Every structure is written in structure tokens, then in C-alpha cells.
Amino acid sequence: MRKYIVFLFFSTPIFTFSQVQSTIKDTIYREVDSYAFLENIKFDSLLMLERMTSFHFHQLINQYRNSKGKKTIYWDDKLWLAARNHNIYLLKNNKNLSHSESNSKSYFTGSLPENRVEYVTYSSGEYKFGGFENCAVSGEMVPGSLDKNAYSLGSSNDLIELAKSSAEDMFELWKSSPGHNQNMLNSDHLAHGTSIVFGEHAQYGTSVFTQNQKYYTPDTIDLRFNPTIIQKFEVLFEENGNSFERYPKELDRLEFKLFKSVAARMDSYSAVPDKKLHTLIESEKNASQTNFNSKKRYLKQTHYLGAFKFIKYELIRIEESFFMPVKEYNKLGGIEKIKELLQSKNQYLLNANSWAASIETLKAGEEMKVTLLMYIFTPKKK
């Protein structure tokens, strides 16, 4: 049963610190964004505070589950991003706590928790049960921005204490609420991502849970970005999480995300997916001859309907390949490459009426070859 639980708690946090530079912002992110800012975390005290807070909460919730005889749950960065995006939406827009978002407001990433997970993961369908969520706020809900003063402290000990106390406060709020507590102890949960952000008037906390995944690859949340603080945090639990299988075809999963980035771009042009063009692509991929004639094959497939189509529209074929390091590809670096490629074809895509595309990858040593094959119908010039 899906749980949508709302809990509001008021207190008055006091922050009186100086300004600090940061790379992570009070804006929304997708999976591809996380790789860059997590790699540069040691240069960003704002992100360090958020991650230390999440790390301590991860210890607390699993220590609690251990004590109740429950399996521990894994950490997931994509769920953390979905949770953080919702915190930012609330911080920027709302005077009342809610599990839903309105697409008429800024920082919208999805109406419901599972929609927001899909936004982060490019609608990959990786999370079949991503709709479990806890939310809370500590302070006064006044639309505003992140409190940069909270991230610039006099010493690392102050930053650590703020991270610990904030995680503990949010944990106790949810523990004291029956619905939230049930969500934290749900036996079917496999993983979570919990974000706590520090606004000018309040702290916002969101946990997103997933469960019953057949295939899964957990992430790791640790403090290696600053070895001097590791000893200040205790590991409070022994991991014994629910079993899972790693993805058998990891490359297929990443290919699909690249394809969804193409779909998102074409949707922004108001071009519609075309099943007949998709059939054309499949027939080309399966064709043995090298002199494949796209127009003739399309007419053969569609008969007179295709002939009428060609009266008004021109069929454009795009095929482009690029190479990139496997490590970069695994971090979804191909999405930016695809974006650049599509940008270079704007003279065709801006007026596209319909489209179909395929993404294929081929690993060669330490490099990945990515090939985009695309057909579009664009109005003929008068």
C-alpha cells in the first residue's frame, strides 16, 4: 500500500554564519548532474553539510531497523536527488507541506513521488515502487532560498554538529509520527534516499523509498571527501539488506536513458513519435543490403498513405556516431553529447512534425561507440 504522509513541525533554527561559495544550488537536478558535483564535493561546504546530514540519517534509520529486527536498507543517490528536488520545490514555492507538486509552479519535477523519481532517472522505469515518501519541515514555511550562512561555519566541528543534530531532529520527528514511523520500518523497503536542506526560515526533509526491485545496484554514501571528519561519525548498524540481482544488461539500461533524452528534446519541439518511422528504423537495422533506400522502403510499408505524406513533408535521415571513455559513458556523459548533436541539427528538428530514433552502443576496450539513427518528417519548403 502506498504511503503519502504529511508531517509539519515548527521550531526556530538560528544561523549566524558568513557567506560561502558553493557549486550545488537551490535548483532541481537529474541523475547526470550528480556525478559532477559529487566528484567535487570537497570544494563545496554546502554539499558537504547536506551529505553529512544524509550520512548520519542513513546510520540512524538502519540502526533503528536493526533494533526492530528489520532488514537494513541501501543508500540510493537517485532517490536522494528526487527527495532533494522536492525539498527545493517546497522551499521555493510552498507555505504548506505537501507530497504533491503543481506543474504551474517553478521547480516542478513531477506531481507524485514516483513521477519525481522518473524525472531524475529520465523515465527509465528502474524503480517499480518509488512512491513511498516521508516529508517534514522544521521551522516556518516561507518561500525563499537556501540559507548560505548555514554552510559557512567557524570550524568543521560546528558543521559536523549541525549535520548530526539536523539528522537526529528529522529522525525523531518521523519516529514520533505513526505513519512516518511505519514507513521507516517497512519490511519491504530495499533502499532510500533522504535529503535535508537548510532554508532561510526552515529545514526541509524528504525521504524517498523503493522496494521489491528484482534488479538493482545500490550506491554508497560515505565521508571520504574529507578523511579528517570520518572519525567524528560512527557507523551505527550492521548491513543485512534485502537481496537483489544486479542488472544483467547494464548497457541496455543506459542506452534507454540516452534515448529518453532524445525523446525529451523532440517533445520540446512538439514533434510526435511516429510508429511507421520506428518500423522503418527497425527494417533498416535488419536489412542486409548497404544501399538501403529509406523513401522506397517507407512507401512499401505504408502504400498510398506514405505517398500522401510525401506531398507535404520531407523525410530526413540523421545518423551520427561518437566515441567516449567507458567511465564517462557510465556517468551518462552521452546525454550531453546527444544534446550537442541534436543542437547541431536544429535546422531540421525545430520544425519536425514527427520522428523516430534508435540508440546503439558498442564497447571497444576502454571506449564506447554511441550511434544515433533518426528519421524525421519536416514540412517541405514552399
Side-chain angles (χ1 to χ4, degrees), residues 1-5 79 82-83 99 112-117 127-135 179 182-184 186-194 206-213:
M1 179 178 177
R2 182 174 291 133
K3 300 290 185 184
Y4 294 115
I5 309 160
L79 298 181
H99 286 282
L112 299 174
E114 55 264 49
N115 305 137
R116 298 191 283 271
V117 173
Y127 299 92
K128 304 301 182 185
F129 299 90
F132 293 82
E133 181 181 83
N134 281 347
C135 288
Q182 182 181 351
N183 238 2
M184 290 201 296
N186 191 314
S187 297
D188 292 327
H189 285 340
L190 177 69
H192 79 113
T194 298
T206 298
S207 284
V208 179
F209 302 89
T210 192
Q211 57 181 232
N212 296 335
Q213 303 291 119

Side-chain angles (χ1 to χ4, degrees), residues 65-216:
R65 290 175 68 91
N66 275 164
S67 72
K68 298 295 183 179
K70 306 289 185 179
K71 296 280 190 180
T72 57
I73 51 178
Y74 303 103
W75 175 259
D76 192 290
D77 283 328
K78 294 178 281 296
L79 298 181
W80 169 72
L81 273 185
R84 190 181 192 277
N85 285 343
H86 188 54
N87 282 339
I88 296 301
Y89 173 88
L90 295 173
L91 168 68
K92 290 291 191 178
N93 292 301
N94 280 27
K95 295 183 179 180
N96 297 294
L97 197 60
S98 176
H99 286 282
S100 63
E101 295 184 7
S102 169
N103 61 8
S104 65
K105 293 184 177 181
S106 57
Y107 306 95
F108 170 82
T109 57
S111 300
L112 299 174
E114 55 264 49
N115 305 137
R116 298 191 283 271
V117 173
E118 288 293 279
Y119 172 84
V120 169
T121 59
Y122 300 91
S123 302
S124 65
E126 292 172 67
Y127 299 92
K128 304 301 182 185
F129 299 90
F132 293 82
E133 181 181 83
N134 281 347
C135 288
V137 63
S138 174
E140 183 182 2
M141 288 193 73
V142 178
S145 301
L146 291 175
D147 184 0
K148 298 298 179 64
N149 291 332
Y151 307 96
S152 180
L153 304 174
S155 71
S156 60
N157 286 337
D158 292 329
L159 200 66
I160 291 166
E161 286 307 311
L162 180 58
K164 286 185 174 181
S165 62
S166 300
E168 289 164 7
D169 287 348
M170 204 63 66
F171 173 76
E172 290 299 330
L173 291 179
W174 285 329
K175 184 179 176 182
S176 66
S177 167
H180 289 82
N181 188 59
Q182 182 181 351
N183 238 2
M184 290 201 296
L185 293 176
N186 191 314
S187 297
D188 292 327
H189 285 340
L190 177 69
H192 79 113
T194 298
S195 164
I196 299 171
V197 302
F198 300 78
E200 296 166 319
H201 304 282
Q203 295 179 15
Y204 295 77
T206 298
S207 284
V208 179
F209 302 89
T210 192
Q211 57 181 232
N212 296 335
Q213 303 291 119
K214 180 178 181 181
Y215 299 122
Y216 183 67

